[in-house]
Amino acid sequence: MIKAKAAPDPMLARKIKDKNVIPVISQRLLCDLYLGGYSKMVAAYADYIKYPFSDRMDLMAMAKYRSVKGVWDKKWEEYIKNPAPEQLSQEYLYAIKQHLVDLASNDGITPKPLLKEVPEDLDVIGFENLMNLLEYPIFGDEKEDPLLILAEMSLPIFLTTSHHSFIEKSILELGGQCESEFCRWREGSRHIASVFDNGYEPNPGKPLVYHLLGVDRHQDSLVLTEDDFLTFLIEITKSDQPYSTTRVAQAIAESSLLFLGFNLQSWEFRVLFHGLIKPSAMLKPGKFIVQIDPSEQDENPTEEEQRYFRNYMRDEAKLEIEWGEIHQYLRELKDLT
């Protein structure tokens, strides 16, 4: 394993003081922090759908399998062929909610009286409401928990590829307020009211948490299959984007980015790189920071691979890459601010 120690850039710390940094937090990292680990979450979905093949860690492949095979309708006890996006997402979220209940009940994390309040049919409760009911997740020490450290920085915008409201909960945990938005990449979601409709502008006192790949409360917004990722990439590069998307794209072009917990070879990162980051970097040159935790990688990068990624990202989009341990990196960065 490469044991590289990433030292936070003082320039990045100064930009944080100026409120000119946007953290971009991966779904993988948040699952590792608050859903028992990304691999366990994906495995829970594989078990729920009885996935028959060996690639049980490939979430996109499993979602595609269900879109072809069909999803199970519990009411009519039959498979729904060619399921609509919201039906596919509903089944996926049901599996993740069941995983959350199992996590909360293990070792007495959630008191038994609260567990008794969980509906037998998890379809009737939203993911955020389920988290609140279970009083989950339990955040760690303010000086150690990555999300609480980020929330304390009082930045105006947080981006995430997670479908769940862990970042919002961390801000509320510290007594703050925030607004939550999601990317309206499907035509059918563009009619949904936006926080920007009433003149809201992201600010340190009431930051914006923007879910790039969809949010659980709007099931058809989730980006799950490979087809979804390709369609998402096409849609967000069109010129007629909703104001919420163009406002976030503008902020990306004008700010430094701090990436946390991304695998550079994943679709999760690649669609953001080609759809939002690289075009923004070409429009307005600036320094971007990508911070990778080796524990988040499927395979830890060799020194040669680190050099390749560093040179490629620097040449393509002025991205600087640092490998290191996220908790330590954020603690040191916070100390500089």
Side-chain angles (χ1 to χ4, degrees):
M1 175 184 292
I2 305 273
K3 295 184 178 180
K5 180 178 182 296
D9 189 336
M11 178 65 73
L12 177 63
R14 286 194 292 272
K15 290 187 175 183
I16 288 175
K17 288 182 180 180
D18 294 336
K19 311 303 181 187
N20 196 32
V21 169
I22 299 176
V24 189
I25 303 134
S26 76
Q27 172 177 244
R28 182 180 293 265
L29 172 60
L30 294 180
C31 288
D32 275 355
L33 289 173
Y34 308 116
L35 279 177
Y38 179 77
S39 60
K40 290 183 179 179
M41 184 207 73
V42 175
Y45 178 55
D47 290 341
Y48 181 79
I49 65 173
K50 297 181 174 59
Y51 189 65
F53 305 121
S54 60
D55 54 341
R56 292 171 59 89
M57 285 297 100
D58 191 334
L59 180 58
M60 286 198 312
M62 291 191 288
K64 180 64 176 178
Y65 166 78
R66 294 304 280 178
S67 70
V68 173
K69 179 179 175 58
V71 299
W72 182 252
D73 186 304
K74 295 188 291 297
K75 179 179 180 180
W76 300 104
E77 296 187 350
E78 63 180 9
Y79 278 102
I80 301 174
K81 299 295 185 182
N82 301 313
E86 60 270 21
Q87 293 172 317
L88 184 65
S89 296
Q90 184 178 32
E91 182 185 65
Y92 165 76
L93 289 172
Y94 190 97
I96 306 308
K97 285 187 282 189
Q98 184 61 64
H99 176 59
L100 177 62
V101 172
D102 293 341
L103 282 175
S105 63
N106 288 340
D107 302 320
I109 294 174
T110 293
K112 288 184 178 179
L114 294 180
L115 288 169
K116 292 179 180 179
E117 298 299 320
V118 176
E120 290 187 8
D121 185 358
L122 292 177
D123 279 341
V124 304
I125 187 170
F127 196 94
E128 183 175 356
N129 290 335
L130 180 62
M131 284 200 300
N132 292 334
L133 180 62
L134 296 173
E135 296 183 354
Y136 195 91
I138 299 172
F139 291 101
D141 184 273
E142 289 183 18
K143 296 181 179 179
E144 297 292 331
D145 193 295
L147 277 196
L148 295 184
I149 295 173
L150 285 170
E152 279 191 316
M153 293 179 182
S154 299
L155 296 166
I157 297 177
F158 296 84
L159 304 182
T160 183
T161 54
S162 172
H163 306 136
H164 312 305
S165 56
F166 296 121
I167 300 171
E168 290 92 328
K169 286 184 71 69
S170 70
I171 295 171
L172 296 174
E173 178 81 4
L174 295 179
Q177 301 180 58
C178 64
E179 293 285 1
S180 184
E181 262 291 359
F182 69 101
C183 183
R184 289 154 170 75
W185 63 282
R186 288 195 197 273
E187 186 68 32
S189 64
R190 296 196 177 185
H191 70 282
I192 298 173
S194 167
V195 298
F196 291 102
D197 292 344
N198 296 319
Y200 165 76
E201 281 296 315
N203 63 85
K206 196 173 187 181
L208 173 71
V209 180
Y210 192 81
H211 295 264
L212 290 155
L213 301 183
V215 66
D216 50 51
R217 64 180 177 274
H218 297 295
Q219 295 178 351
D220 65 344
S221 71
L222 270 58
V223 180
L224 290 178
T225 67
E226 184 175 321
D227 291 344
D228 288 342
F229 276 98
L230 291 173
T231 303
F232 173 85
L233 182 57
I234 292 170
E235 290 298 320
I236 64 172
T237 55
K238 290 182 177 179
S239 59
D240 61 338
Q241 288 297 303
Y243 178 74
S244 60
T245 303
T246 58
R247 178 65 184 84
V248 169
Q250 178 188 358
I252 289 174
E254 296 173 349
S255 307
S256 292
L257 302 181
L258 173 60
F259 282 79
L260 295 168
F262 280 89
N263 182 329
L264 298 185
Q265 300 184 75
S266 69
W267 278 82
E268 182 185 24
F269 179 79
R270 286 157 60 192
V271 295
L272 301 187
F273 176 70
H274 291 288
L276 289 173
I277 303 160
K278 190 174 177 181
S280 297
M282 293 170 63
L283 290 170
K284 181 181 175 62
K287 182 166 184 175
F288 295 77
I289 307 293
V290 178
Q291 200 280 336
I292 307 290
D293 185 340
S295 68
E296 298 302 315
Q297 306 302 298
D298 295 328
E299 296 181 4
N300 292 312
T302 64
E303 291 183 7
E304 183 177 353
E305 288 171 332
Q306 285 194 17
R307 283 194 297 270
Y308 166 75
F309 280 125
R310 185 172 286 114
N311 292 335
Y312 175 76
M313 292 296 175
R314 184 179 294 151
D315 293 343
E316 288 292 305
K318 300 176 178 62
L319 286 156
E320 295 292 336
I321 305 176
E322 295 176 346
W323 275 268
E325 200 280 318
I326 285 175
H327 295 71
Q328 178 180 336
Y329 183 91
L330 289 178
R331 285 197 303 270
E332 294 180 4
L333 182 60
K334 182 67 169 57
D335 289 342
L336 291 175
T337 62

